Amino acid sequence: MQTRTPAPRATGRPRSAAADAAILAATREALVEVGWSKLTLGDVATRAGVAKTTLYRRWSGKNELVVDAVAELFDELELPDRGTLAADIEGVVLQFAAILARPEAKSGLMAVVAEATRDEALRERIRESIVERQKRLVLEGRARAQSRGELPPETDPTESARTVDLIFDMVAGAVVHRTLVSAEPADEEWARNFARILSLGLAHSAH
């Protein structure tokens, strides 16, 4: 119980931030070397050079740890400004596919999604750590397209939020299915065709 008091966390915050970074990096390293099934919190703690208690104070199990380790990879995504909505979508799709091709992202994401089918708390963590965080790309891309005059502004907040959710689902669903389910390449030609169809649909639905 004493480890949950405010004072220890407050005085150790800078050190904990460094420990968290080391733990997440070690998790990705373990995913590459041994895969999700053989990954253990003890091994991760050893790789990160931290005590097991340090790890357990932050993560209750390896599923939550892997979600956060993979989420950091998706934080690397950036929306390039290529001049048009279709070209911007193509650019972010290619980045997304490249991340999913990395073994730590592929094995980690597939494993936690499978585990989440019977774990509502884990599903919520995936939504918060990955899905909600990456909707920033949709918001940025839509605002940029509106400023260019490619899409009209949306005045209804409810409808706007619904559109953001739908765009994210279409992009994420298509890329994940293409790369991890169908195991087909999400190369430049595929990304260009997908982006063209999606941008045309968005422009049409706005009128």
Side-chain angles (χ1 to χ4, degrees), residues 122-193:
L122 184 58
R123 284 199 295 275
E124 183 59 28
R125 194 179 191 101
I126 292 171
R127 282 193 292 266
E128 291 178 356
S129 298
I130 298 177
V131 175
E132 294 302 324
R133 274 180 14 200
Q134 298 315 319
K135 284 180 183 177
R136 62 185 173 84
L137 299 166
V138 178
L139 292 167
E140 182 182 350
R142 189 182 58 169
R144 186 184 294 166
Q146 289 170 341
S147 69
R148 292 180 184 136
E150 295 175 287
L151 295 176
E154 293 188 44
T155 56
D156 184 342
T158 301
E159 186 63 29
S160 178
R162 189 179 296 119
T163 300
V164 169
D165 288 345
L166 185 58
I167 294 171
F168 182 88
D169 288 346
M170 286 190 289
V171 174
V175 179
V176 168
H177 186 276
R178 177 76 177 179
T179 57
L180 300 186
V181 179
S182 298
E184 296 288 343
D187 53 20
E188 290 189 8
E189 181 181 3
W190 182 86
R192 187 177 304 114
N193 287 331

Side-chain angles (χ1 to χ4, degrees), residues 17-90:
D20 285 354
I23 290 167
L24 294 175
T27 302
R28 291 188 290 271
E29 178 184 287
L31 284 168
V32 173
E33 294 185 10
V34 303
W36 177 86
S37 62
K38 295 182 179 179
L39 183 149
T40 66
L41 296 187
D43 178 36
V44 170
T46 299
R47 290 171 183 267
V50 302
K52 287 184 183 180
T53 52
T54 300
L55 194 153
Y56 279 108
R57 278 197 297 267
R58 180 66 176 85
W59 291 276
S60 60
K62 78 172 183 178
N63 289 333
E64 294 79 8
L65 176 60
V66 169
V67 169
D68 288 0
V70 171
E72 276 201 338
L73 296 178
F74 294 124
D75 286 341
E76 297 174 9
L77 287 168
E78 295 180 353
L79 186 70
D81 189 346
R82 293 181 162 195
T84 67
L85 175 59
D88 290 355
I89 294 172
E90 179 186 346

